[in-house]
Amino acid sequence: MKIDLTNTTSSKINAALMDARRASGSTAAGMVLTLVIVTDEGSAYDALKAANDASREHPSRTLAVIKRAGRSPRARAETRLDAEILVGSDAGSGETVVLRMHGELASHAQSVVLPLLLPDAPVVVWWPDNAPLNPAQDPLGALAQRRITDAVTAESPVGQLAQRASGYTPGDTDLAWTRITGWRSMLAAALDQRDVAITAAVVEGESYNPSVELLGLWLHNRLRVPVERVVTGGPGITSVTLRTKDGDIVLDRPDGLLGTLSMPGAPDRMVALKRRDTAELIAEELRRLDPDDIYATAVRTPVDRLRERIAGVEHAGPGGTVEGHAAEHAAAEHVVGEQETPAAAKKAAARRKNAQ
């Protein structure tokens, strides 16, 4: 069922939702949360489709906020609220209301959204793109227990991680972190099978992918070892190598579909590690509404803790040439703050001599 309301109000939208529910034969709401999506016309279709698919696991009232402030002074002066209500099969397992706010109303979206929130139910706000610098201080973000952003849509995805760290508030999360859940689970399971000391780690993945950085920072925090970030052609994360004295533990996924887990003294195993779509990522985030302390620790770790090089090019640093970074990366062979071993010192000295 689809209902269009032009130049309407929040109270009229609530009344229309009740009428639509009665017409469908269900007077009870039966929804567990309110999902507020802050987007634009260009991204609204994909975001709503992902939310509708996720609602089959988490029945929810979805409020899509589309701000249309207008380009001309006349358009900006016109204040109007248009709504599109979807109930039944068109809205997954919940209700969907698309709110188009015109003129000055776009600057006061929270006043429209607040009366439409489900009573006594958690609120989650999701910005598919163009997220505010500090989601918790945004007027809509302040209404929510959980705030979801996606650093991969930013112009500088890796730089966005620093912004997420500086403005982090318990309840914040990012889909770049959600995308590495499978990798973290597989690596943790592999280490549970073998009681070995990890001496170093290598994370390989495409450039400008914040998930690669977050996975490397998570490994650095949990294992307390130096982590190298290697740039490859992707897709996404392609490989993780954990170095031990008995040999390397390697989780390799070159095609974005199926991974191979290799461990010393054991046959290779194929593992399911397919890249997930947005609906699966949102469904995972809606399973838990408490603060994610592990994400907070990872995102607050400076990205420069990772060594970086391009696959097949030794000692190439970010933003420079091989020669210009040879001495720098030789000196950074170990983790910042760790003591350099005699062997590493000799190796670094030899590289500095060759670089001169």
Side-chain angles (χ1 to χ4, degrees):
M1 179 184 297
K2 179 179 177 181
I3 303 173
D4 288 322
L5 300 175
T6 304
N7 198 11
T8 185
T9 63
S10 297
S11 60
K12 292 179 180 179
I13 295 172
N14 263 323
L17 283 169
M18 289 294 297
D19 293 341
R21 205 178 297 141
R22 292 192 189 99
S24 64
S26 175
T27 57
M31 287 166 283
V32 298
L33 59 88
T34 303
L35 175 62
V36 181
I37 305 174
V38 186
T39 183
D40 55 24
E41 293 286 1
S43 304
Y45 175 81
D46 291 335
L48 285 171
K49 185 178 184 304
N52 289 345
D53 291 344
S55 72
R56 303 187 189 283
E57 181 178 342
H58 309 278
S60 58
R61 173 177 289 181
T62 301
L63 306 177
V65 176
I66 301 176
K67 301 178 182 181
R68 306 181 68 174
R71 297 181 179 178
S72 65
R74 182 175 181 179
R76 288 192 292 269
E78 181 186 8
T79 299
R80 190 177 84 247
L81 172 63
D82 297 335
E84 181 181 335
I85 300 175
L86 302 173
V87 179
S89 59
D90 293 329
S93 297
E95 303 170 341
T96 298
V97 182
V98 181
L99 304 168
R100 291 183 173 86
M101 304 178 189
H102 301 261
E104 293 183 2
L105 188 60
S107 301
H108 305 280
Q110 72 278 7
S111 63
V112 178
V113 169
L114 187 59
L116 299 176
L117 301 178
L118 291 172
D120 302 322
V123 178
V124 178
V125 178
W126 171 34
W127 291 269
D129 47 26
N130 299 320
L133 296 179
N134 193 325
Q137 293 182 3
D138 182 84
L140 286 173
L143 302 175
Q145 287 78 38
R146 192 75 161 169
R147 294 163 294 275
I148 305 173
T149 56
D150 194 355
V152 77
T153 62
E155 185 174 348
S156 175
V158 177
Q160 192 76 356
L161 294 181
Q163 182 61 51
R164 294 286 162 258
S166 64
Y168 176 80
T169 302
D172 292 354
T173 191
D174 197 280
L175 294 185
W177 173 255
T178 318
R179 291 185 180 95
I180 65 173
T181 300
W183 288 89
R184 293 190 294 124
S185 300
M186 290 294 179
L187 292 171
L191 293 181
D192 283 343
Q193 298 176 33
R194 301 183 69 88
D195 186 14
V196 294
I198 307 299
T199 59
V202 180
V203 180
E204 301 182 17
E206 61 187 351
S207 181
Y208 304 109
N209 189 320
S211 296
V212 182
E213 271 73 16
L214 282 174
L215 182 56
L217 296 174
W218 173 74
L219 288 170
H220 172 68
N221 284 318
R222 308 308 292 182
L223 300 176
R224 302 296 179 185
V225 297
V227 178
E228 185 178 33
R229 191 254 201 260
V230 179
V231 178
T232 65
I237 302 170
T238 55
S239 177
V240 174
T241 302
L242 304 179
R243 305 202 185 283
T244 74
K245 64 178 182 179
D246 299 326
D248 293 347
I249 299 174
V250 181
L251 182 56
D252 187 49
R253 188 195 64 178
D255 57 1
L257 297 173
L258 198 63
T260 303
L261 179 61
S262 303
M263 302 178 67
D268 293 353
R269 292 185 303 174
M270 308 300 289
V271 295
L273 207 56
K274 185 178 77 71
R275 302 186 74 192
R276 297 179 294 169
D277 59 24
T278 306
E280 294 176 279
L281 301 176
I282 290 296
E284 178 184 328
E285 285 300 334
L286 296 182
R287 291 183 197 129
R288 55 172 298 174
L289 301 178
D290 56 317
D292 191 340
D293 295 332
I294 300 177
Y295 163 72
T297 302
V299 78
R300 285 171 167 169
T301 304
V303 176
D304 57 14
R305 292 288 182 88
L306 308 178
R307 281 191 58 210
E308 183 175 343
R309 66 180 172 88
I310 301 173
V313 180
E314 288 295 331
H315 311 301
T321 62
V322 174
E323 293 80 4
H325 288 277
E328 177 184 347
H329 283 291
E333 191 70 24
H334 55 286
V335 175
V336 175
E338 295 284 356
Q339 294 294 324
E340 191 172 36
T341 63
K346 290 182 179 180
K347 190 175 183 181
R351 287 176 176 170
R352 284 193 293 269
K353 184 178 179 181
N354 293 333
Q356 294 174 350

